[in-house]
Amino acid sequence: QVQLVESGGGLVQAGGSLRLSCRASGRTVSSYAMVWFRQAPGKGREFVARISATGGTTGYADPVKGRFTISRDNAENTMYLQMNSLKPEDTAIYYCAAVSWGSATTDPSLYPYWGQGTQVTVSS
């Protein structure tokens, strides 16, 4: 089993930055694709960014392209999301997820392992 724990969320003003972390335990995730989703109040879960097992392939949702950067450190069993130029519409609970194959998908139903989420609030 893989356990995921997110951290790094908080309250920030528009234009500010945050760095989220997703630390895995229970098993090494170096062969797992990983992804960030978010869920704003009253909305469904939305894909944010994905990264392949090796870190060689990444992908982003259009609303965050050019502002967010996904990365991973397999030696530390940890994935990151650097968020710059934050906007009020980025306010949401951010979740990390993992799946035991190398290529990440944007479909949340295909991810068996999830963290508990971390709140990101961006004030205007």
Side-chain angles (χ1 to χ4, degrees):
Q1 279 285 9
V2 174
Q3 293 81 44
L4 302 174
V5 177
E6 303 96 334
S7 61
L11 173 64
V12 64
Q13 288 189 328
S17 298
L18 284 173
R19 188 193 195 204
L20 304 184
S21 298
C22 172
R23 186 168 185 87
S25 62
R27 182 174 297 184
T28 181
V29 292
S30 59
S31 62
Y32 287 56
M34 299 184 75
V35 66
W36 288 99
F37 289 93
R38 67 186 180 186
Q39 188 163 14
K43 296 188 177 181
R45 197 157 292 190
E46 174 189 31
F47 163 73
V48 175
R50 58 183 173 174
I51 189 166
S52 63
T54 64
T57 301
T58 58
Y60 300 90
D62 285 344
V64 308
K65 278 182 182 177
R67 300 188 297 123
F68 291 12
T69 302
I70 190 171
S71 62
R72 65 191 296 164
D73 183 341
N74 284 340
E76 296 293 329
N77 235 23
T78 302
M79 176 180 65
Y80 303 97
L81 186 68
Q82 178 66 44
M83 305 187 295
N84 298 329
S85 303
L86 282 162
K87 304 175 181 180
E89 50 264 43
D90 294 318
T91 294
I93 300 173
Y94 283 70
Y95 299 90
C96 65
V99 64
S100 60
W101 57 67
S103 299
T105 174
T106 62
D107 182 352
S109 69
L110 297 181
Y111 288 87
Y113 306 111
W114 289 84
Q116 82 290 347
T118 186
Q119 176 71 48
V120 171
T121 303
V122 184
S123 63
S124 57

